[in-house]
Amino acid sequence: MAYKILIADDEEITVKHLVNALSREGNKAVGTSNGLDALRKIENDVYDLLIADIKMPGLTGIELLDRVKELSPETDVVIITGFGSIGSAVDAMKKGAVEYVTKPFDLDELILKVNKLRERRGLMRENLALKTYLGMDRQVSIIAKSKPMREILDTIEGIRESESNIFFTGETGVGKSLLARIVHFTSRRKERPFLAINCATLTEELLASELFGHERGAFTGAVRTKQGLVEIADTGTLFLDEIAEMAPNLQAKLLKVIEEGEFFRVGGTKPIIVDVRFIAATNQDVRSAISRGKFREDLYYRLNVMEIAIPPLRERKDDIEPLARYFLQKHLPKSNKKITEIQQEAMDVLRSYSFPGNVRELENIIERAIMLEKTSVITPASLPQSMKVFQIETVQPGKIKTIEELNKEYAERVVEFFGENRSRAAEALGISRTSLWRILKEE
Amino acid sequence: MNTRQLLFVTYRNEQIDEGISYAIELAKAMAEDIVLLLVRNGRKASELVNDLMAGVAFAEAGEEQTALQLAAGEDREQPGSIDRKITEMIVASSKAGVRLEVQNMERDLISGIRTFLKGNQSIDKVVLSPAVTESEALTTKDLNRLVRSASRPIVTMTRQSVRAAREARAQKGAPMRYVPSAGF
């Protein structure tokens, strides 16, 4: 985000000079030689910093400062005073200016002061984001009536004193990120930051910058040094969702953080030491990704000190009713409807459905049913038509692989290792080329 | 554009849009996009001969477009209807805020799906349309093969009437072709 500066000085040459100098530093600087015009600009736009001369036509610097503190208290103000008018400078500081400079001023000194204010603003933004995040996510609760989910919660309870990394697996929508938050907020790190990032939503470069931060000038647009999530989550927990989507380069960098507790910002030369607990999650078959060379085995074992597999909703049907009631109560206030209950017939339809989208899909179905329902109870009529017209079943991948599948997986890996040269792969495997062909052809 | 996609597999025939409303609902709930994988139906030998003969007749009459469509086995019942249905599916999907991408597949159903999944890690789940689920071409063995290798949940859709008929047949002792069950 560009740092926006407004310069107000009655000497047009000074304004022009400052605008040019501060713009060269990567700021977005604009100027005016009139106090009233400066006020209009502040009324119409948001500025991070105002540099104002005390003497100006229209409105003096002190009057402008007063109005800025009313209109935009977030804007920092630096007052420029004439030589010998220290009294006015003290007055300005009392009214909320953060700095003052006396004319004639040294440009380098002013730039240094602006840079410090810009850095402070950056830190304030990050701190605010962190506080907001913590404030938002501390209220964690989970509905878990079924035996498998109660067992998972017991496991989490049992490891609350542990600092180990945890790996959640499970289909999309089962509640992996919710459980990650529960792990954090029941752990000894609960008063420390909990940050989360979805590794599938960003490009490799952006994810690197988000995770590890960057130094100023590391790439085009890196106008200031930025802390990454690994650095901000220091002494806390970082949740890496959809970890299997992470690019190999980043996997190596992440492994170094986990193993050695240190990393470099993008473009940085100074190692940064951190103490972060990692919780990772995926809906993919990571072992298969490892066998295909898409995911580092060493990283997997570092993250997977404890693996918790969250079963899909269709395998814990006892959770469907309490979850449906919970979502009814959650979405009812937005609807202005007086629905009191979910009819047993509707509950039966829900129980017989296989929920390929898991808890997230159930929430959506209930939210939609509230919108459609005209009576005081949710009836089957307000459930999606397709649930009644079709028998929808979800068949999940088996957890145990056949010997043939393992043979094939291994053979594919060896062939890949030899750069698709099947003769060399067959020789290394100690079988004929024909046998290798048969294994690879196996379905 | 969403990062995750749902693969909806159906035949390129008159039943092309059956089950798509469910796929759109599911994709919307999961904030996913849809990849519509269209499989060409295998024609019986007699149908192929008939289509080719009719195609030749149209070609001789100068109706090249119709001849080509017949030879390709497309739009047997109403020329252009499949393309129209595809357009309607894209519009319906777009109205629901879900992006729908159409892919065609010429190979055998199972190996085609497997190949497609191999190259598309963003696919989160596979939904087989009622036409595919109930098709004679999809045996229990095929489905097992697909489930084992896909590494993603496979969603099957059976018309309630077909399911009831199968269950009735099973009660009478006749062997059932395929009835999926949770936790397969």
Side-chain angles (χ1 to χ4, degrees):
Chain A
M1 194 185 283
Y3 189 66
K4 289 173 80 175
I5 305 172
L6 174 63
I7 298 142
D9 195 304
D10 60 337
E11 291 171 21
E12 281 191 19
I13 186 80
T14 309
V15 172
K16 202 172 164 188
H17 192 49
L18 281 177
V19 167
N20 286 340
L22 292 170
S23 298
R24 273 199 303 273
E25 289 292 306
N27 303 298
K28 200 173 171 189
V30 290
T32 174
S33 55
N34 184 294
L36 280 174
D37 186 43
L39 183 63
R40 267 194 296 276
K41 280 191 161 59
I42 284 169
E43 282 168 345
N44 296 327
D45 207 345
V46 179
Y47 291 91
D48 294 301
L49 175 65
L50 165 71
I51 301 175
D53 192 358
I54 280 194
K55 283 182 191 164
M56 273 189 297
L59 206 65
T60 69
I62 298 290
E63 285 166 338
L64 184 60
L65 170 65
D66 281 337
R67 297 302 309 276
V68 168
K69 286 296 143 191
E70 280 170 34
L71 289 167
S72 173
E74 298 294 309
T75 304
D76 289 330
V77 182
V78 172
I79 291 290
I80 304 173
T81 66
F83 179 72
S85 47
I86 293 297
S88 319
V90 172
D91 194 24
M93 295 296 275
K94 278 183 186 166
K95 284 176 184 288
V98 287
E99 281 281 357
Y100 73 91
V101 285
T102 50
K103 273 185 179 175
F105 56 80
D106 179 53
L107 185 62
D108 289 338
E109 195 185 316
L110 179 67
I111 288 174
L112 204 70
K113 281 183 176 174
V114 170
N115 284 348
K116 275 189 180 165
L117 289 170
R118 188 172 69 183
E119 208 167 292
R120 196 185 71 153
R121 175 58 56 108
L123 287 173
M124 274 166 64
R125 275 189 189 135
E126 276 161 9
N127 199 21
L128 185 69
L130 191 62
K131 277 183 182 161
T132 311
Y133 201 96
L134 284 169
M136 267 166 38
D137 287 312
R138 289 177 75 84
Q139 304 293 325
V140 191
S141 57
I142 189 163
I143 309 273
K145 193 185 169 198
S146 66
K147 196 168 169 249
M149 282 310 279
R150 277 189 280 118
E151 280 171 4
I152 286 175
L153 291 181
D154 285 346
T155 307
I156 291 173
E157 177 67 24
I159 54 166
R160 58 190 299 171
E161 294 300 312
S162 163
E163 292 281 291
S164 310
N165 296 329
I166 296 178
F167 202 90
F168 283 111
T169 56
E171 288 174 19
T172 311
V174 288
K176 297 185 287 289
S177 57
L178 180 66
L179 283 168
R181 282 203 289 274
I182 287 176
V183 168
H184 173 77
F185 288 115
T186 54
S187 76
R188 283 189 298 200
R189 293 176 181 244
K190 63 184 174 197
E191 299 301 329
R192 308 302 307 162
F194 172 81
L195 300 179
I197 190 164
N198 187 322
C199 303
T201 53
L202 301 170
T203 60
E204 184 180 343
E205 291 74 22
L206 268 177
L207 184 59
S209 173
E210 282 301 310
L211 281 177
F212 304 109
H214 57 72
E215 294 290 348
R216 185 178 160 202
F219 47 83
T220 316
V223 289
R224 66 177 182 90
T225 299
K226 182 192 168 194
Q227 287 184 309
L229 294 180
V230 172
E231 202 173 334
I232 301 172
D234 188 23
T235 68
T237 305
L238 181 57
F239 174 53
L240 302 165
D241 202 3
E242 304 204 34
I243 184 88
E245 303 284 328
M246 191 181 268
N249 280 343
L250 289 183
Q251 289 179 27
K253 216 168 166 183
L254 181 63
L255 181 66
K256 192 171 161 64
V257 185
I258 298 171
E259 283 183 337
E260 296 166 24
E262 68 171 43
F263 70 100
F264 294 87
R265 287 189 193 133
V266 176
T269 50
K270 239 180 15 191
I272 296 166
I273 314 284
V274 284
D275 163 28
V276 178
R277 182 189 199 183
F278 289 93
I279 302 178
T282 185
N283 61 351
Q284 291 193 27
D285 179 356
V286 190
R287 287 177 186 88
S288 158
I290 292 170
S291 72
R292 283 182 285 116
K294 302 278 180 204
F295 198 77
R296 292 182 69 116
E297 195 168 8
D298 42 9
L299 177 62
Y300 173 67
Y301 286 112
R302 283 288 178 179
L303 287 170
N304 187 7
V305 177
M306 168 163 263
E307 181 170 337
I308 298 178
I310 309 168
L313 188 57
R314 64 185 163 275
E315 283 183 16
R316 43 185 173 105
K317 290 199 179 276
D318 287 347
D319 286 337
I320 293 174
E321 275 196 42
L323 278 169
R325 291 205 172 90
Y326 167 75
F327 291 133
L328 175 66
Q329 294 312 317
K330 182 182 168 187
H331 294 290
L332 207 50
K334 288 183 280 179
S335 69
N336 282 331
K337 289 194 176 175
K338 289 193 175 107
I339 298 170
T340 53
E341 192 46 271
I342 300 171
Q343 203 180 59
Q344 194 49 50
E345 284 79 358
M347 218 47 118
D348 292 342
V349 174
L350 290 174
R351 278 187 73 92
S352 65
Y353 179 56
S354 73
F355 291 102
N358 293 294
V359 183
R360 204 178 298 165
E361 189 188 4
L362 172 61
E363 178 167 9
N364 195 273
I365 288 171
I366 298 297
E367 196 180 354
R368 185 179 174 278
I370 294 171
M371 281 196 294
L372 295 177
E373 189 57 64
K374 291 188 177 74
T375 68
S376 62
V377 284
I378 301 265
T379 57
S382 28
L383 297 178
Q385 184 67 8
S386 44
M387 284 172 68
K388 290 164 268 170
V389 176
F390 300 110
Q391 179 73 31
I392 295 159
E393 300 284 356
T394 309
V395 196
Q396 74 203 63
K399 291 185 176 75
I400 298 172
K401 291 193 172 174
T402 63
I403 294 292
E404 285 78 14
E405 281 168 340
L406 280 176
N407 274 346
K408 192 184 171 191
E409 239 176 62
Y410 184 61
E412 279 174 344
R413 208 169 151 186
V414 174
V415 170
E416 203 178 311
F417 179 79
F418 285 105
E420 300 298 318
N421 185 330
R422 292 192 177 199
S423 302
R424 287 183 64 196
E427 199 184 324
L429 288 165
I431 54 174
S432 68
R433 236 183 94 88
T434 323
S435 304
L436 176 63
W437 177 78
R438 276 203 196 98
I439 291 170
L440 293 173
K441 197 173 134 291
E442 200 71 44
E443 288 195 335
Chain B
M1 196 176 132
N2 295 306
T3 56
R4 294 255 150 238
Q5 292 173 308
L6 172 160
L7 182 68
F8 183 69
V9 187
T10 192
Y11 287 121
R12 192 185 166 87
N13 61 19
E14 286 298 309
Q15 295 169 316
I16 189 171
D17 54 352
E18 198 180 15
I20 189 70
S21 59
Y22 169 72
I24 293 173
E25 271 170 32
L26 183 59
K28 191 182 169 190
M30 306 304 290
E32 292 178 339
D33 289 334
I34 296 177
V35 178
L36 174 66
L37 188 61
L38 298 177
V39 185
R40 279 187 194 278
N41 247 347
R43 278 176 287 180
K44 287 178 193 161
S46 58
E47 283 175 351
L48 180 65
V49 171
N50 280 341
D51 286 348
L52 288 176
M53 294 298 283
V56 168
F58 275 101
E60 282 173 354
E63 299 267 349
E64 284 176 16
Q65 191 60 34
T66 313
L68 285 171
Q69 278 176 344
L70 280 164
E74 279 182 2
D75 296 11
R76 197 185 303 275
E77 289 161 35
Q78 205 181 348
S81 67
I82 291 178
D83 287 339
R84 201 167 45 245
K85 281 186 176 178
I86 292 174
T87 309
E88 284 166 7
M89 286 155 83
I90 294 172
V91 170
S93 176
S94 167
K95 275 184 185 166
V98 175
R99 192 169 162 270
L100 188 140
E101 175 193 327
V102 184
Q103 296 278 347
N104 286 290
M105 188 176 84
E106 297 286 347
R107 6 180 2 161
D108 142 67
L109 178 73
I110 302 300
S111 61
I113 296 174
R114 288 172 62 178
T115 309
F116 191 83
L117 290 177
K118 255 188 183 174
N120 291 277
Q121 285 304 312
S122 57
I123 301 287
D124 175 58
K125 56 181 80 63
V126 181
V127 180
L128 303 180
S129 73
V132 171
T133 305
E134 293 164 8
S135 155
E136 294 294 327
L138 184 76
T139 63
T140 310
K141 197 179 161 197
D142 285 337
L143 193 76
N144 278 336
R145 263 167 54 204
L146 181 61
V147 168
R148 275 207 306 270
S149 60
S151 299
R152 291 131 167 125
I154 309 287
V155 183
T156 57
M157 300 177 74
T158 318
R159 291 179 198 93
Q160 295 286 17
S161 53
V162 173
R163 188 179 172 87
R166 279 184 187 158
E167 280 171 358
R169 205 167 58 191
Q171 276 173 2
K172 283 181 192 163
M176 286 174 78
R177 190 182 64 80
Y178 163 65
V179 176
S181 62
F184 188 79

